[in-house]
Amino acid sequence: GAGVSQSPRYKVAKRGQDVALRCDPISGHVSLFWYQQALGQGPEFLTYFQNEAQLDKSGLPSDRFFAERPEGSVSTLKIQRTQQEDSAVYLCASSPTGTGSPYEQYFGPGTRLTVT
Amino acid sequence: EDQVTQSPEALRLQEGESSSLNCSYTVSGLRGLFWYRQDPGKGPEFLFTLYSAGEEKEKERLKATLTKKESFLHITAPKPEDSATYLCAVRSLMDSNYQLIWGAGTKLIIKP
């Protein structure tokens, strides 16, 4: 079946621009995660949704970052007034369950954001 | 503080040369340990979940093992297509139920 998809795959933004990154999780998956990955590092947690509820946004770096999943499927990560330090790969992952096991997360290909 | 450390950072092997990757972890109770593979320009791909010390999982040329302090990913007779970055992550009993703590990964290069 179809995996997690993300769009756009690449985004170049000028400093100060707003961007919106989209994630289409695997159909029926309850949990959705956003991560930020710097080159040569593991993913860093940003936020978590269980269905449409955003249960944790503690990883969002600043109030310029905002995420939503209004109907419990597609999610959008929005970054306002982008800064150079926002340049990274943004990964989306989904999982079929909530907080219980099994707990494997299935990742999309990521969106590479470059802020110039 | 919960922490995951992977070693080595990079490993170059000849095709057919077996070796092991290490993932050391410090957590306040382990709920699960996960191995992922990541190819350049792609998201991590799930490989294994291990839940308790002594557990082992196998998939093709890979075998993951778990002790109370670390996990090993053994690769037997690797092929060039096994080249990738291998990531380890843990889920702690004490952290939020859903957050994973990730290592920085081991970049594995298999030369033909």
Side-chain angles (χ1 to χ4, degrees):
Chain A
V4 178
S5 62
Q6 292 185 244
S7 60
R9 290 293 317 278
Y10 304 92
K11 178 68 178 179
V12 179
K14 291 187 177 180
R15 185 167 170 264
Q17 283 185 332
D18 297 349
V19 298
L21 312 181
R22 177 187 168 107
C23 172
D24 284 83
I26 294 172
S27 178
H29 276 200
V30 169
S31 296
L32 187 145
F33 305 79
W34 282 100
Y35 292 91
Q36 182 187 65
Q37 187 175 29
L39 190 65
Q41 298 298 315
E44 291 280 343
F45 171 82
L46 293 177
T47 188
Y48 166 69
F49 290 87
Q50 188 170 117
N51 296 308
E52 69 278 4
Q54 188 175 21
L55 298 188
D56 188 349
K57 53 182 181 180
S58 64
L60 296 177
S62 75
D63 58 9
R64 296 186 295 104
F65 286 71
F66 171 77
E68 60 182 5
R69 192 186 186 198
E71 297 180 358
S73 55
V74 172
S75 177
T76 303
L77 176 66
K78 297 179 180 178
I79 309 173
Q80 297 178 322
R81 305 181 302 281
T82 52
Q83 304 294 316
Q84 283 195 318
E85 61 263 29
D86 300 335
S87 296
V89 174
Y90 291 85
L91 294 166
C92 174
S94 69
S95 178
T97 59
T99 56
S101 299
Y103 196 65
E104 295 84 18
Q105 297 181 19
Y106 298 89
F107 284 81
T111 294
R112 179 177 296 279
L113 173 65
T114 303
V115 181
T116 61
Chain B
E1 181 184 348
D2 296 339
Q3 195 170 358
V4 175
T5 303
Q6 291 189 246
S7 61
E9 290 186 8
L11 182 62
R12 293 175 181 270
L13 300 172
Q14 287 293 137
E15 183 173 1
E17 181 184 0
S18 302
S19 188
S20 296
L21 314 182
N22 178 265
C23 170
S24 297
Y25 62 91
T26 305
V27 291
S28 306
L30 181 69
R31 188 186 290 268
L33 184 142
F34 306 83
W35 281 99
Y36 283 81
R37 167 190 172 133
Q38 187 171 25
D39 292 292
K42 297 187 177 181
E45 175 189 347
F46 171 75
L47 293 174
F48 304 109
T49 307
L50 301 167
Y51 292 104
S52 57
E55 189 175 359
E56 298 183 352
K57 294 272 180 75
E58 283 189 70
K59 180 179 180 181
E60 296 180 354
R61 294 176 292 282
L62 299 175
K63 183 169 82 171
T65 62
L66 181 64
T67 72
K68 289 187 178 180
K69 293 185 177 181
E70 58 193 348
S71 176
F72 291 95
L73 185 65
H74 306 277
I75 181 161
T76 303
K79 299 181 178 181
E81 54 262 41
D82 295 321
S83 298
T85 295
Y86 290 85
L87 294 164
C88 171
V90 300
R91 186 181 176 194
S92 166
L93 285 171
M94 298 300 291
D95 285 341
S96 306
N97 281 341
Y98 34 79
Q99 287 200 30
L100 297 182
I101 304 157
W102 293 81
T106 292
K107 184 174 183 179
L108 179 65
I109 299 170
I110 308 299
K111 296 175 287 184

